[in-house]
Amino acid sequence: MKIAVDAMGGDNAPKEIIGGVYKALTAYPDIEIQLYGHQEKMQEFLTEHDRLTIMHCEEVIESEDDPVRSVRRKKDASMVRMAQAVKDGEADACVSAGNTGALMSAGLFIVGRIDGVDRPALAPTLPTLDGKGFVMLDMGANAEARPEHLVQYAIMGSIYAEKVRGIKNPTVGLLNIGTEEKKGNDLTKAAFPLLKKAPINFVGNVESRGLLNGVADIVVTDGFTGNMVLKTIEGTAMNVFSMIKDVFMSSAKTKVAAFLVKDDIKGLKGMLDYSEYGGAGLFGLKAPVIKAHGSSNANALFNAIRQTRTMVEFDVTGTIYSTLKKETLHED
C-alpha cells in the first residue's frame, strides 16, 4: 500500500509531518510512503528508510493562497504533486495538513469525484465524553446543500463508521434545532423523509447540545452549519481549559490542588484531543484524501496515516461507490 504525504502542509511542517511519517512506517510494515516536499527544507529531519521515497517539489501552497487558483497554477507544489500521484495510480491515498480549501480543490479537480456523488463532504471524527467519538459531515466542503446531498453524506458516513471505526449498524442523526420531525428549515424538513427511506440506521433529528454526549455515530448537516459547529466546539474546549488553568494558578492553595489533579486534567484533555481520531476525510472522491489538522504534531499526523491506511485496506471508496450505485438503481 502506497500513501502520499504532503510534507510542507501545516503549521509544524516539515518537522512534525516527517516525525509522523516515521512513526507510521514503524507501526505498519505494509505501507510505503511517498513524501512530497522541498528536499533542502526536509533534509535535517530525514533518515534513510527503505519504504520512504522523497519526491522533491519546488513549490508550496501556503495557507493564505487562493485554493482554486493555487492548485491550478502551482503545478510543482507538494500538495498538487501528491494528489496527481493518486490520480495516476502511483499512490493509493494521500494526506495533507495544509490549506483546507486547496486540498478540497486538489481532491475535486485532480483526484476526482466518485460517479454518482454530487458533492464530496469534509468529515472529521469529533470527540465525545465517553471517548467513542462521532463522525460529522459536512464540515465545510460545501456551504449549501440540498436534501439529497444530506442523504449521500449519511450513506458515506455510515460506510466509514462501519468499515474504519468498526461500529456495527451505526446510528445517523440529522442536526436540527429540535428532535421533532417537523422542526427546522426547508432543508431539514425535506431531508428527514429521505433519510428515513435511505439504507442507514436513521435515528431522527438531533440537537447540537447532545453531540458530545454521543447522540449518534454520524451526524449530517450542511457545510455552513457544520463548520460553525466545529469551530464552536474547538473554541469552547480551548476556553474551558484556559479558564481551568487560570483558576488553578490563582493562589497557592489552588496551585497545590493543581499538582494533585494534574494527571486527571491531562486525562480529561486527552479525551477531547482531536489528534487521537486522525484527520478529516474528504468523502466522495475516487481515492481516500485525508485532511490532517493544520496544527498537527507527529502524533496527529501518525493517526491521520493510520486512518488513511484503514480506508484503503477496507476499500471504503469502492463500498461508497457500489452502495450509491445500488441506491440510484433502486430509485430508478
Side-chain angles (χ1 to χ4, degrees), residues 32 34 39 75 96 107-108 131 172 174 191 200 209 217 235 263 282 296:
E32 297 178 27
Q34 296 170 358
Q39 179 89 38
K75 298 297 184 186
S96 176
L108 195 59
V172 178
L174 172 63
I200 56 173
R209 63 182 175 184
D217 298 312
D263 290 340
L282 279 170
S296 288

Side-chain angles (χ1 to χ4, degrees), residues 48 105 131 228 273 318:
E48 192 170 337
S105 298
M228 287 198 293
D273 186 357

Side-chain angles (χ1 to χ4, degrees), residues 111-171:
V111 177
R113 285 181 298 176
I114 295 173
D115 291 341
V117 171
D118 295 326
R119 294 187 181 182
L122 189 62
T125 300
L126 300 177
T128 54
L129 298 181
D130 62 3
K132 186 178 175 183
F134 70 101
V135 178
M136 190 165 176
L137 62 169
D138 173 26
M139 301 302 265
N142 310 283
E144 297 179 355
R146 296 199 301 267
E148 54 269 31
H149 297 154
L150 298 190
V151 175
Q152 289 195 344
Y153 297 168
I155 292 172
M156 293 191 292
S158 295
I159 292 168
Y160 176 81
E162 188 164 342
K163 296 284 186 181
V164 177
R165 308 202 68 233
I167 302 172
K168 190 174 181 181
N169 197 26
T171 55

Side-chain angles (χ1 to χ4, degrees), residues 34-220:
Q34 296 170 358
L35 190 61
Y36 290 81
H38 197 284
Q39 179 89 38
E40 288 184 18
K41 294 177 181 175
M42 296 191 292
Q43 194 59 48
E44 65 175 301
F45 309 112
L46 293 172
T47 56
E48 192 170 337
H49 195 292
D50 60 357
R51 287 184 283 117
L52 177 64
T53 304
I54 307 302
M55 312 296 282
H56 174 69
C57 305
E58 285 289 337
E59 297 179 291
V60 175
I61 293 180
E62 306 290 351
S63 58
E64 63 272 16
D65 283 348
D66 179 84
V68 176
R69 188 175 302 171
S70 59
V71 168
R72 287 180 171 163
R73 292 186 175 180
K74 292 187 173 182
K75 298 297 184 186
D76 199 30
S78 52
M79 184 186 292
V80 173
R81 292 271 307 279
M82 171 195 77
Q84 190 65 46
V86 174
K87 180 183 180 181
D88 294 342
E90 297 168 1
D92 298 298
C94 60
V95 181
S96 176
N99 185 316
T100 302
L103 184 62
M104 289 193 290
S105 298
L108 195 59
F109 300 140
I110 299 175
V111 177
R113 285 181 298 176
I114 295 173
D115 291 341
V117 171
D118 295 326
R119 294 187 181 182
L122 189 62
T125 300
L126 300 177
T128 54
L129 298 181
D130 62 3
K132 186 178 175 183
F134 70 101
V135 178
M136 190 165 176
L137 62 169
D138 173 26
M139 301 302 265
N142 310 283
E144 297 179 355
R146 296 199 301 267
E148 54 269 31
H149 297 154
L150 298 190
V151 175
Q152 289 195 344
Y153 297 168
I155 292 172
M156 293 191 292
S158 295
I159 292 168
Y160 176 81
E162 188 164 342
K163 296 284 186 181
V164 177
R165 308 202 68 233
I167 302 172
K168 190 174 181 181
N169 197 26
T171 55
V172 178
L174 172 63
L175 187 64
N176 208 330
I177 57 172
T179 57
E180 299 87 346
E181 182 173 347
K182 301 300 181 184
K183 282 272 190 176
N185 56 16
D186 291 343
L187 174 64
T188 56
K189 289 176 182 175
F192 194 100
L194 298 179
L195 288 165
K196 284 177 72 175
K197 294 190 295 184
I200 56 173
N201 183 13
F202 181 54
V203 295
N205 291 325
V206 297
E207 296 180 285
S208 56
R209 63 182 175 184
L211 295 178
L212 298 189
N213 293 323
V215 68
D217 298 312
I218 301 107
V219 176
V220 295

